[in-house]
C-alpha cells in the first residue's frame, strides 16, 4: 500500500483543495445561517396533503381538494438564526406575466397513490395551484401549493465580477410544491400549474402548459417496469442529451444520484465555495421536458451541501425538492420506497465521506441504524424481489478523481453483504464503471458484459453512473466495455481517503467495465414468470443510446 497526499486529487471540481483542507479543520465550529423557507411544520405537514379518491372534473372537487388561498409567496421570508438577510424589494408584477417554469415531479413513499408536483415562478404570486384530471382538457378544482422561498446573496459568488451591475443584490427563488395523495393506482393524470392571474385551465392553454404523469400499479410484484439513473448532470449540451435519452426511454421514474446543478461548483460544502443560486433555475428549465412527466428521485451529492441556508447544508435542497420523509422526518436525501417488486433506498453519502468531510457523521449513526432496519424490512417482504440502493459517493471505484469511500466500505458494505443488496448505484466519479459481484470487499467471480449475477450466491454489483453531463473524469487503466473489451486481468489501483485525510492506493481486481463518456443506466425489472426467474436487466447507454454495458441480476 502506497500513500499519497489527499490534496493530489480533486474534490469533484473544487477550485481550491488548499481551502478544502483549511475548511476541514474548522468546519465543525463554523456558524451557518439557518434555512429561510418557513418552519419545519409548515414544510411537511401531512395535513396539507391532497385527498383525492377519484379524479376528473366534479369528482375531484367532491373528493375534498384543498382550495387555493391557503398558500402564497412571501416577499419577506422568515429568517432563522443570524445574521438575517435584508428583505428583498419586490415589485409585484401581474400574475399573468409570471409564467411557471422548471416543473419536476417526485413520487411519495407510496408511488401508487402519492405524487408531488413541484415548479418555480419568477416572482411572488398569489394562490399557486395545480389542477389535475384524467383528460387533458378536463381539470379539477385547484389544489393549493406550498411556497418555499429561498433568498440568496449574489455576494456568495466568488468571484463576483458582475455584482456591481446587478440589482437587487439578492436572488429570491420561489419553489412551489403540491403534494397529491390518494391518487388512483396505475393511472395517467394530466395537470396544469398556475396561480391567481395565470390559469391554463381557465384560458387558452399555451403549448407545453399541460403535462402528465402515471401512478405506479398497486403494491405487489406487478408486471415489470423500466427505470433510469445517472448522477453528476449539471447544465449544458451533454446534460440535456442524457435528459433527452431519459425521455426517449420513457421510464417509470428516474434516479438522480446527486451533484445536480453544480450551482455550488466548489462542492466542499463550505462558505468558501463558488456558488450561484441562479444556476438552479437553468437546471430546472433544462430538465422540465423530462421531469414534468417522469418523477425524478434524487440523492444528495457533495455539491448539494450549500452552507449558506442551514446548519446541515441542505436548506436549499429542502426548498427545491420534496422527497419522501420516511426516515426520521427532515432527512432530505435519506428515504426508502418501493415500486412493484423493487425496494429502493436513497442514502446520504456525505455522512460517510472522508474525501469531502464537511457533513461526515452528521447523522451520528442514525443513518446506518435506519439503513439496516429498511434492508431487513425489504428482505422480509416476500413481494419484493430486489433491493436497489442509490447514493452519490462510490463505495467501490477505480477512478482516482474522487476515488472510493472508505466510510461506505466500512459502514455500509457489510450491510449490503448481509442483506444481499442486488445493486448499488452511485455517481461522484464522472465516468461509468461496473464491478464484478463483490462480497467482503472481494470479487467473487468475473462477470463481463452479457453476464448474469445471482446476488444470493455472488454478492452485490456496484455501478458508478456519474456521466450524466458534467465534465468527465478519467481512469488510470484503459477503458473496457461492451464491444471494446481490452485485457483486464491485471489488478488496477483504487484510491481511498482515510479518516486522517490521507489517500491510500490499493490494487483491486473487481473493476470489470470502464467507460469514459456520457451515459445513463436503464434497468428493466421483471417479476418471476413460469420458467423465468425475477430479474433486473441493466444497460448502460451513451447519449445516442449505444449500449456500453449489459448484465442481468437474477433471483431464482
Ligand atoms: Fe460530480
Ligand atoms: Fe460529487
Amino acid at each position: 500500500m502506497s500513500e499519497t497526499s489527499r490534496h493530489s486529487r480533486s474534490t469533484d471540481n473544487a477550485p481550491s483543495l488548499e481551502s478544502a483542507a483549511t475548511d476541514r479543520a474548522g468546519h465543525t465550529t463554523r456558524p451557518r445561517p439557518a434555512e429561510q423557507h418557513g418552519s419545519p411544520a409548515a414544510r411537511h405537514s401531512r395535513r396539507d396533503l391532497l385527498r383525492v379518491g377519484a379524479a376528473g372534473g366534479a369528482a375531484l372537487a367532491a373528493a375534498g381538494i384543498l382550495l387555493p388561498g391557503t398558500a402564497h409567496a412571501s416577499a419577506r421570508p422568515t429568517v432563522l438564526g443570524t445574521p438575517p438577510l435584508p428583505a428583498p424589494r419586490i415589485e409585484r408584477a401581474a400574475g399573468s406575466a409570471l409564467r411557471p417554469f422548471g416543473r419536476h415531479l417526485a413520487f411519495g413513499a407510496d408511488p401508487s397513490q402519492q405524487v408531488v408536483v413541484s415548479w418555480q415562478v419568477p416572482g411572488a404570486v398569489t394562490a399557486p395551484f395545480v389542477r389535475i384530471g384524467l383528460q387533458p382538457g378536463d381539470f379539477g378544482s385547484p389544489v393549493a401549493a406550498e411556497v418555499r422561498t429561498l433568498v440568496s446573496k449574489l455576494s456568495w459568488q466568488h468571484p463576483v465580477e458582475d455584482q456591481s451591475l446587478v440589482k437587487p443584490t439578492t436572488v429570491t427563488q420561489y419553489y412551489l410544491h403540491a403534494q397529491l395523495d390518494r391518487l388512483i393506482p396505475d393511472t395517467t393524470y394530466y395537470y396544469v400549474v398556475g396561480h391567481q392571474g395565470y390559469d391554463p385551465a381557465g384560458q387558452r392553454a399555451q403549448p407545453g402548459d399541460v403535462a402528465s404523469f402515471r401512478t405506479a400499479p398497486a403494491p405487489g410484484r406487478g408486471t415489470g417496469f423500466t427505470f433510469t439513473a445517472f448522477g453528476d448532470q449539471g447544465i449544458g449540451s451533454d446534460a440535456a442529451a442524457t435528459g433527452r435519452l431519459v425521455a426517449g426511454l420513457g421510464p417509470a421514474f428516474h434516479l438522480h444520484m446527486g451533484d445536480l446543478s453544480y450551482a455550488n461548483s466548489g462542492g466542499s460544502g463550505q462558505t468558501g465555495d463558488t456558488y450561484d443560486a441562479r444556476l438552479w433555475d437553468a437546471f430546472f428549465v433544462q430538465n422540465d421536458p423530462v421531469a414534468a412527466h417522469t418523477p425524478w428521485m434524487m440523492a444528495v451529492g457533495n455539491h448539494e451541501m450549500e452552507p449558506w441556508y442551514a446548519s446541515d447544508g441542505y436548506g436549499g435542497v429542502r426548498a427545491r425538492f420534496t422527497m419522501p420523509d420516511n426516515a426520521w422526518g427532515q432527512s432530505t436525501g435519506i428515504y426508502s420506497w418501493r415500486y412493484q417488486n423493487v425496494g429502493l433506498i436513497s442514502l446520504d453519502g456525505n455522512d460517510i465521506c472522508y474525501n469531502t468531510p464537511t457533513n461526515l457523521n452528521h447523522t451520528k449513526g442514525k443513518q446506518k441504524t435506519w439503513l439496516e432496519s429498511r434492508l431487513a424490512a425489504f428482505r422480509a417482504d416476500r413481494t419484493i424481489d430486489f433491493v436497489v440502493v442509490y447514493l452519490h459517493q462510490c463505495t467501490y471505484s477505480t477512478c482516482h478523481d474522487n476515488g472510493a469511500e472508505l466510510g461506505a466500505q466500512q459502514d455500509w458494505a457489510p450491510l449490503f453483504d448481509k442483506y444481499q443488496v442486488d445493486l448499488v448505484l452511485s455517481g461522484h466519479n464522472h465516468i461509468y464503471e461496473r464491478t464484478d459481484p463483490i462480497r467482503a470487499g472481494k470479487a467473487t467471480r468475473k462477470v463481463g458484459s452479457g453476464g448474469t449475477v445471482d446476488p444470493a450466491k455472488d454478492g452485490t454489483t456496484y455501478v458508478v453512473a456519474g456521466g450524466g453531463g458534467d465534465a468527465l473524469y478519467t481512469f488510470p487503466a484503459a477503458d473496457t466495455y461492451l464491444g471494446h473489451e481490452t485485457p483486464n486481468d491485471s489488478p488496477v489501483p483504487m484510491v481511498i481517503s482515510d479518516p486522517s485525510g490521507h489517500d491510500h492506493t490499493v490494487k483491486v481486481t473487481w473493476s470489470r467495465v470502464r467507460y469514459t463518456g456520457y451515459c445513463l443506466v436503464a434497468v428493466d425489472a421483471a417479476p418471476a414468470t413460469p420458467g423465468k426467474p425475477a430479474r433486473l436487466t441493466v444497460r448502460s447507454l451513451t447519449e445516442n443510446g449505444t449500449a456500453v454495458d449489459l448484465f442481468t441480476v437474477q433471483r431464482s
Side-chain angles (χ1 to χ4, degrees), residues 326-328 336 345 366-380 415 418-419:
N326 56 7
W328 57 87
S336 68
I345 298 175
K366 273 167 62 174
Q367 182 169 211
K368 182 179 179 182
T369 302
W370 174 86
L371 170 62
E372 176 147 29
S373 72
R374 293 314 302 154
L375 290 172
F378 279 152
R379 280 293 173 234
L415 296 178
K418 180 179 178 182
Y419 294 96

Side-chain angles (χ1 to χ4, degrees), residues 57-73:
L60 284 165
I65 293 170
L66 295 175
L67 296 174
T70 57
H72 61 87

Side-chain angles (χ1 to χ4, degrees), residues 205-422:
Q206 298 189 35
D209 275 342
V210 180
S212 64
F213 60 81
R214 188 167 185 83
T215 54
R221 278 207 159 86
T223 56
F225 66 98
T226 297
F227 71 91
T228 54
F230 61 55
D232 308 273
Q233 185 188 18
I235 304 160
S237 55
D238 295 300
T242 54
R244 282 194 298 270
L245 184 56
V246 172
L249 292 166
F253 57 88
H254 177 66
L255 303 180
H256 199 308
M257 282 90 73
D259 283 5
L260 293 102
S261 73
Y262 292 87
N264 177 356
S265 60
S268 77
Q270 303 286 346
T271 52
D273 283 346
T274 304
Y275 177 68
D276 186 346
R278 296 168 297 185
L279 293 176
W280 280 107
D281 299 352
F283 175 80
F284 285 123
V285 167
Q286 167 188 271
N287 291 333
D288 177 286
V290 196
H293 301 268
T294 302
W296 284 38
M297 306 301 287
M298 54 85 73
V300 292
N302 53 302
H303 286 263
E304 276 65 66
M305 292 188 290
E306 297 170 342
W308 304 274
Y309 302 118
S311 59
D312 63 359
Y314 299 142
V317 171
R318 282 190 283 271
R320 297 173 180 115
F321 298 93
T322 303
M323 294 295 117
D325 58 358
N326 56 7
W328 57 87
Q330 299 293 306
S331 57
T332 306
I334 305 170
Y335 57 93
S336 68
W337 57 298
R338 70 171 292 174
Y339 195 104
Q340 292 191 10
N341 63 334
V342 178
L344 297 123
I345 298 175
S346 172
L347 297 178
D348 177 357
N350 296 321
D351 193 29
I352 48 80
C353 186
Y354 294 128
N355 172 227
T356 307
T358 303
N359 272 11
L360 181 62
N361 198 31
H362 78 99
T363 74
K364 297 181 169 54
K366 273 167 62 174
Q367 182 169 211
K368 182 179 179 182
T369 302
W370 174 86
L371 170 62
E372 176 147 29
S373 72
R374 293 314 302 154
L375 290 172
F378 279 152
R379 280 293 173 234
D381 187 333
R382 297 178 66 82
T383 66
I384 289 179
D385 294 315
F386 299 102
V387 176
V388 174
V389 173
Y390 56 105
L391 70 152
H392 184 61
Q393 281 83 352
C394 310
T395 309
Y396 296 103
S397 176
T398 64
C399 176
H400 286 188
D401 287 75
N402 280 315
E405 293 297 338
L406 183 62
Q409 294 176 13
Q410 291 177 332
D411 279 14
W412 294 346
L415 296 178
F416 301 157
D417 289 349
K418 180 179 178 182
Y419 294 96
Q420 299 174 4
V421 169
D422 299 281

Side-chain angles (χ1 to χ4, degrees), residues 91-280:
E91 296 298 327
R92 180 172 294 202
S96 59
L98 301 174
R99 286 203 69 184
F101 68 98
R103 295 166 297 182
H104 51 285
L105 302 174
F107 280 131
D110 178 358
S112 69
Q113 297 189 70
Q114 298 170 335
V115 170
V116 184
V117 180
S118 304
W119 69 99
Q120 275 182 263
V121 284
V125 298
T126 300
F129 62 83
V130 61
R131 295 180 188 267
I132 63 174
L134 298 175
Q135 300 293 330
D138 181 22
F139 298 107
S141 300
V143 179
E146 176 190 357
V147 183
R148 302 176 194 165
T149 305
L150 203 59
V151 180
S152 310
K153 285 186 176 180
L154 286 180
S155 62
W156 294 342
Q157 298 178 66
H158 309 282
V160 286
E161 64 273 1
D162 64 343
Q163 250 191 69
S164 61
L165 304 177
V166 178
K167 295 287 185 294
T169 57
T170 57
V171 174
T172 304
Q173 293 167 307
Y174 301 92
Y175 294 100
L176 312 178
H177 303 263
Q179 301 187 48
L180 308 176
D181 200 355
R182 299 186 186 176
L183 298 169
I184 304 169
D186 204 16
T187 299
T188 296
Y189 285 88
Y190 298 85
Y191 72 92
V192 291
V193 298
H195 48 264
Q196 192 175 95
Y198 188 88
D199 186 353
Q203 62 194 48
R204 186 181 178 86
Q206 298 189 35
D209 275 342
V210 180
S212 64
F213 60 81
R214 188 167 185 83
T215 54
R221 278 207 159 86
T223 56
F225 66 98
T226 297
F227 71 91
T228 54
F230 61 55
D232 308 273
Q233 185 188 18
I235 304 160
S237 55
D238 295 300
T242 54
R244 282 194 298 270
L245 184 56
V246 172
L249 292 166
F253 57 88
H254 177 66
L255 303 180
H256 199 308
M257 282 90 73
D259 283 5
L260 293 102
S261 73
Y262 292 87
N264 177 356
S265 60
S268 77
Q270 303 286 346
T271 52
D273 283 346
T274 304
Y275 177 68
D276 186 346
R278 296 168 297 185
L279 293 176
W280 280 107

